[in-house]
Amino acid sequence: MILELKQVKTHIGQFRILQDITFAVPEGKVTVILGRNGAGKTTTLRSIMGLTPPTEGEILLDGKRIEGLPPHVIARKGVGFVPEDQAVFSALTVNENLRLAMRGRDQSAEERLTFVLDVFPDLKEKLSRKGGGLSGGQKQMLAIGRALVRDNRVLLVDEPSKGLAPIMVEKLARALRVIKDQTTVVLVEQNFALASAVGERYVIIDDGHTVREGILCELEQDRELLRRYLGISPANGERGRAG
Amino acid sequence: MGMGTFVNLTVNGLSTGMMIFLLASGLSLIFGLMGVLNFAHGSLFMLGGYTGVVVFAHSGSFILALVSAMLVGLLVGWVVERLTVRRVYGNAIAQILVTTGVMIVLNELVKAVFGPDIIATPVPPLLAGSWAIGSVILIKYRLFTLAVGLVVAVAVHLLLTKTRLGMVVRAGVENPEMVQALGINIRQVFSLVFAFGAALAALGGVMMAPAVGAVNPDMGLQNQMLAFIVVVIGGMGSFLGSALGSILVGLAGAYTAWFLPEASLAVNVLLMAVVLLLRPNGLFGMGGE
Ligand SMILES: Nc1ncnc2c1ncn2[C@@H]1O[C@H](COP(=O)(O)OP(=O)(O)O)[C@@H](O)[C@H]1O
Ligand SMILES: [Mg+2]
């Protein structure tokens, strides 16, 4: 297991947001975090990243505890983060956004940059454009690309398809399939079609608890579970389609 | 008002603007990057002025006075960030209290050592006097401050736009959390920018002293007021904004001083109100409009 959360509890101010988050992420796979709005998916990723540090529990990366470390140290240990709102630096050019994330200018970093521009050719044409001038889909690509130029062990991606046009969601699905060969991915995704197109394992979070964990293709059959925790019935109409 | 007076006032205004700019640019960067409204910033300006007085009195070298003031600013700024401001990031009320406390301590320290009265600061001999071109009289010292201010402005602009550190600062002004998530120790950058801003303020102070003829313990507070106006006009966190805002405030101050000296501050507040009505985030401010 590359990443493990054990009974993680997180408070924001005096609010108890996460009560008991426990799951494991196997190396080289895409683990999808599912759950309705407000369930605590974003807070889970932010807790791993150290942005909202857990108040109790353990988070292990490669078997070593990382909870309580400052975010930049967690990032340097190989955790990449693509936040829900993308957080592309709008005053920086696309090139600067990518370079900011690269630490040294070593060979492998340059190779990863080339890889990113191959996966997202749209970015290659916009290198000198300001981040703020990109479309929603391009911002999402830049946010993912920016995380990918780093030498990550695990990549945390929060709802990348949110607000994207169907054609962009398809591009995203294709990109995620290429990316998953390079790094372990933890993907928060409400679009079940996209989730099942790229994911292998799932974790369901509800009201700050992990309620179920397993293999995605088995979940697809479990209509009752899907209805109960995600409010969808895949038989009669999915919420979105992904190539 | 004749041509000569007009040029003279304009040079004076630009020169004062430059010194305000040295104070305001740090204030703006510190606020933009760390969200800290630094009420102690003016004290660094004042400390720069007094450092200049002491060093110039002992060495007779104005260059040495400028450099020493900056070093003192850098050091005091670094210590203040480490010991006080660092502990209250994210807590606006605590920041106001803590930085105001630092301001009071520094001001009282200076009063204790140098006394509460003004100390006259003549223009260094090399920079004294003026050139007359027809009816236009150019005061050498004013031109000197203008030149130094311009050089510093260009240098900081290049630092912000052409270096990796500048890139980190610009990104941090927008989203410090995301900068951290990319493996960058933003706290280190905070300390650096705080100390650097303090050094710029101290440079402003040491240059202001001969321009107005004296230092006094309250000079920081007086100019900090103008710097806050500049930051609001230019837009929080915008370097170009503080440059433009400083020029506007400097010129407005100089022209008003000629016609109606008492109205100087009022005109600047008016200027701020007009800018805010037209552009609520300031001239170069980012964010929700
Ligand atoms: N900064 C915050 N302050 C207070 N409550 C918050 C904050 N951030 C999130 N929450 C609450 O925590 C719960 C989980 O939020 P979040 O992790 O964003 O959910 P999800 O990503 O699953 O939609 C929600 O009820 C939300 O209202
Ligand atoms: Mg969320």
Side-chain angles (χ1 to χ4, degrees):
Chain A
M1 291 295 150
I2 189 166
L3 183 69
E4 278 178 276
L5 282 79
K6 293 182 181 167
Q7 291 168 359
V8 167
K9 295 183 176 42
T10 297
H11 291 247
I12 300 181
Q14 69 267 55
F15 301 104
R16 188 166 356 128
I17 311 288
L18 302 183
Q19 329 243 10
D20 176 10
I21 301 292
T22 301
F23 67 91
V25 175
E27 184 156 12
K29 299 242 177 349
V30 176
T31 301
V32 180
I33 300 183
L34 301 163
R36 50 178 138 235
N37 275 335
K41 306 179 297 295
T42 296
T43 309
T44 299
L45 295 193
R46 289 174 56 83
S47 296
I48 299 171
M49 202 63 233
L51 294 169
T52 53
T55 29
E56 277 178 57
E58 292 181 11
I59 300 177
L60 301 136
L61 179 70
D62 292 315
K64 292 192 196 80
R65 293 177 66 164
I66 57 166
E67 86 276 356
L69 295 175
H72 72 273
V73 176
I74 295 176
R76 285 179 194 176
K77 287 186 182 293
V79 183
F81 185 51
V82 182
E84 203 168 11
D85 61 356
Q86 296 132 21
V88 159
F89 300 111
S90 60
L92 271 57
T93 64
V94 169
N95 189 40
E96 285 176 326
N97 267 277
L98 294 168
R99 294 272 167 195
L100 185 71
M102 294 163 68
R103 260 242 269 183
R105 289 211 155 177
D106 56 286
Q107 189 60 32
S108 66
E110 295 295 337
E111 274 166 19
R112 283 193 298 276
L113 182 61
T114 312
F115 168 74
V116 165
L117 296 178
D118 284 346
V119 178
F120 299 117
D122 299 39
L123 293 182
K124 205 184 289 186
E125 299 156 20
K126 303 232 150 48
L127 279 175
S128 54
R129 179 84 66 90
K130 286 269 157 70
L134 300 180
S135 73
Q138 290 161 349
K139 279 186 185 159
Q140 192 64 63
M141 292 175 182
L142 179 54
I144 297 175
R146 184 179 58 185
L148 282 176
V149 294
R150 301 179 59 77
D151 191 12
N152 292 318
R153 303 275 295 130
V154 190
L155 185 63
L156 314 175
V157 189
D158 199 352
E159 295 205 43
S161 76
K162 199 164 85 178
L164 296 193
I167 182 157
M168 288 311 289
V169 177
E170 261 173 53
K171 277 192 188 181
L172 190 67
R174 246 176 282 143
L176 285 171
R177 284 213 208 86
V178 179
I179 290 162
K180 69 191 235 189
D181 293 336
Q182 308 276 321
T183 173
T184 307
V185 177
V186 178
L187 175 69
V188 169
E189 189 49 73
Q190 299 267 44
N191 181 332
F192 191 72
L194 174 62
S196 51
V198 300
E200 279 116 2
R201 293 189 57 81
Y202 74 88
V203 177
I204 296 178
I205 293 180
D206 197 48
D207 197 19
H209 297 79
T210 31
V211 292
R212 202 63 81 93
E213 178 174 11
I215 298 165
L216 246 180
C217 54
E218 287 171 12
L219 179 65
E220 281 164 43
Q221 315 303 323
D222 196 338
R223 293 220 217 142
E224 171 52 27
L225 204 63
L226 287 177
R227 223 189 332 264
R228 197 153 116 219
Y229 291 116
L230 311 171
I232 51 170
S233 38
N236 42 24
E238 292 158 4
R239 280 208 244 163
R241 236 170 220 297
Chain B
M1 171 164 68
M3 185 62 195
T5 313
F6 176 73
V7 171
N8 210 334
L9 287 178
T10 305
V11 170
N12 275 0
L14 288 175
S15 138
T16 306
M18 274 306 172
M19 291 181 274
I20 300 296
F21 165 72
L22 292 173
L23 188 60
S25 54
L27 200 62
S28 179
L29 272 182
I30 290 168
F31 183 81
L33 186 62
M34 308 162 217
V36 173
L37 213 46
N38 181 14
F39 281 89
H41 205 62
S43 300
L44 273 309
F45 185 85
M46 181 264 307
L47 222 50
Y50 277 88
T51 306
V53 168
V54 172
V55 173
F56 187 66
H58 284 86
S59 68
S61 160
F62 194 57
I63 299 279
L64 197 62
L66 293 180
V67 174
S68 322
M70 284 187 83
L71 288 178
V72 166
L74 201 67
L75 187 71
V76 174
W78 190 78
V79 169
V80 165
E81 198 273 344
R82 279 290 157 133
L83 293 187
T84 65
V85 176
R86 163 153 297 205
R87 287 154 208 271
V88 292
Y89 282 129
N91 183 345
I93 303 285
Q95 285 163 8
I96 292 175
L97 292 176
V98 158
T99 56
T100 306
V102 170
M103 173 190 82
I104 293 170
V105 168
L106 290 179
N107 286 17
E108 291 306 313
L109 267 178
V110 166
K111 273 184 206 167
V113 175
F114 297 95
D117 301 325
I118 64 165
I119 300 174
T121 49
V123 173
L126 260 180
L127 298 166
S130 55
W131 289 300
I133 304 168
S135 68
V136 176
I137 294 166
L138 294 170
I139 300 167
K140 283 188 197 167
Y141 187 72
R142 287 289 183 173
L143 292 177
F144 167 76
T145 58
L146 201 55
V148 172
L150 264 177
V151 168
V152 172
V154 170
V156 177
H157 180 70
L158 290 177
L159 190 71
L160 279 172
T161 52
K162 301 281 183 242
T163 67
R164 178 168 172 85
L165 178 65
M167 198 157 83
V168 171
V169 171
R170 282 182 295 136
V173 167
E174 247 183 89
N175 191 339
E177 206 171 64
M178 192 61 225
V179 170
Q180 282 176 285
L182 293 175
I184 295 160
N185 185 354
I186 197 93
R187 284 293 170 98
Q188 243 167 30
V189 182
F190 282 6
S191 305
L192 216 64
V193 168
F194 200 95
F196 185 74
L200 287 185
L203 179 65
V206 69
M207 289 210 301
M208 182 67 100
V212 297
V215 292
N216 73 77
D218 292 325
M219 68 187 275
L221 214 52
Q222 294 153 3
N223 287 289
Q224 179 163 301
M225 180 88 102
L226 291 178
F228 272 122
I229 293 176
V230 164
V231 172
V232 172
I233 289 178
M236 301 276 188
S238 164
F239 185 74
L240 284 180
S242 17
L244 197 64
S246 304
I247 290 172
L248 284 176
V249 164
L251 286 177
Y255 296 141
T256 327
W258 174 257
F259 295 109
L260 196 62
E262 303 82 11
S264 205
L265 185 61
V267 163
N268 274 317
V269 173
L270 196 69
L271 191 66
M272 175 170 78
V274 170
V275 169
L276 284 185
L277 278 176
L278 300 176
R279 289 187 62 91
N281 291 315
L283 296 175
F284 288 86
M286 286 190 295
E289 271 175 49

